[in-house]
Amino acid sequence: MRYIRPLSIEDAVGLLAGASGTSAILAGGSDLLVRMKGGFVEPDLIVDIKAIEGLSEIRETADGFSIGATVPCAVLGESSVLKKAWPGVVEAAKLIGSKQVQGRCTITGNLCNASPAADSVPALVAAGAKAVVAGPSGRRTIPVGAVPIGPGKTSLTKGEIIEAILLDSQAPRSGDAYLRFIPRTEMDIAVVSAGVNLTLDEHGVITAARVALGAAAPTVLLVEEAAEALIGRKLDEAALERLAKVCAGACRPIDDKRGTIEFRRKVAGVLARRATTTAYARAGGK
């Protein structure tokens, strides 16, 4: 096994592109090191990207925010400007792991681990976040939702690295929220989760909506019909009932020891309803 700590994104890409055998990227290591210790993976090459300049920074840009690939979730939680703009995204990031893990884990790693139950991904999809991908052919920017293609699988090709996550500036009168259900009060994986992002007009009518469900299918579901149930109206009981019904119907969950298909569908509707109510209030709705 080789461990290399490059100082530039170009060197990291070159190492991964030219590697023979299996390779892995080390950002926080909260997934990789556990999998290595459990014997699930033994990379021939580990590329540690933490020393690359700029990857550990949250930058406020003219268009919004750029979150470097190695920014720990604990740092996201300490960013007052990010919390003000995107409280739902920060809420989701702060649910990953324990206090100790928070100092290491990253939303980029959470995304690339490609777990259907990942906490940060539904919130990022609801927020319309994008990923900046660096690779042998240069850079490209893709929707966050296009990265996971199945449990444990991503659309990234050999030599590609996610360099940053981009969040647009929130439009006026907008708000987002994230909720999950777990059997315990802390330190567990989502049985179902929901991320919601809303924009209102000056009268409190919803003009834009994105509703994303996690742990409800092999990848995060962006439920367009749920958005349609909300747009063009204020948030009333009829809209919430329609939203819950649509979200429950959109789920494609599995039966396992943590929850049945029927239970997950029911909870998906409940969480979508609650997260939407929170996002609406944050957007200034009454």
Side-chain angles (χ1 to χ4, degrees), residues 139-223:
R139 285 176 173 80
R140 60 192 178 104
T141 301
I142 60 174
V144 158
V147 176
I149 56 174
K153 299 178 180 179
T154 75
S155 61
L156 301 180
T157 59
K158 185 176 177 64
E160 288 192 321
I161 300 173
I162 293 182
E163 188 174 5
I165 301 295
L166 304 181
L167 287 166
D168 290 339
S169 299
Q170 269 283 33
R173 294 182 294 275
S174 295
D176 73 323
Y178 173 80
L179 289 172
R180 69 176 183 179
F181 173 81
I182 58 174
R184 303 188 297 177
T185 56
E186 296 279 352
M187 291 291 295
D188 210 340
I189 300 169
V191 176
V192 187
S193 62
V196 178
N197 184 35
L198 303 177
T199 300
L200 318 181
D201 68 12
E202 61 272 19
H203 304 295
V205 175
I206 299 168
T207 59
R210 289 174 67 90
V211 180
L213 302 176
T219 59
V220 168
L221 293 174
L222 182 63
V223 188

Side-chain angles (χ1 to χ4, degrees), residues 229-230 233-246 273:
L230 298 172
R233 61 195 303 171
K234 291 186 177 183
L235 192 66
D236 55 19
E237 185 61 28
L240 287 170
E241 286 184 6
R242 173 64 179 160
L243 168 76
K245 183 178 180 180
V246 168
R273 180 185 175 115

Side-chain angles (χ1 to χ4, degrees), residues 25-49:
I25 298 168
L26 176 62
S30 56
D31 284 314
L32 175 62
L33 297 182
V34 171
R35 294 179 65 206
M36 289 173 63
K37 187 174 181 179
F40 299 107
V41 63
E42 188 173 337
D44 299 297
L45 171 66
I46 295 175
V47 178
D48 184 344
I49 62 172

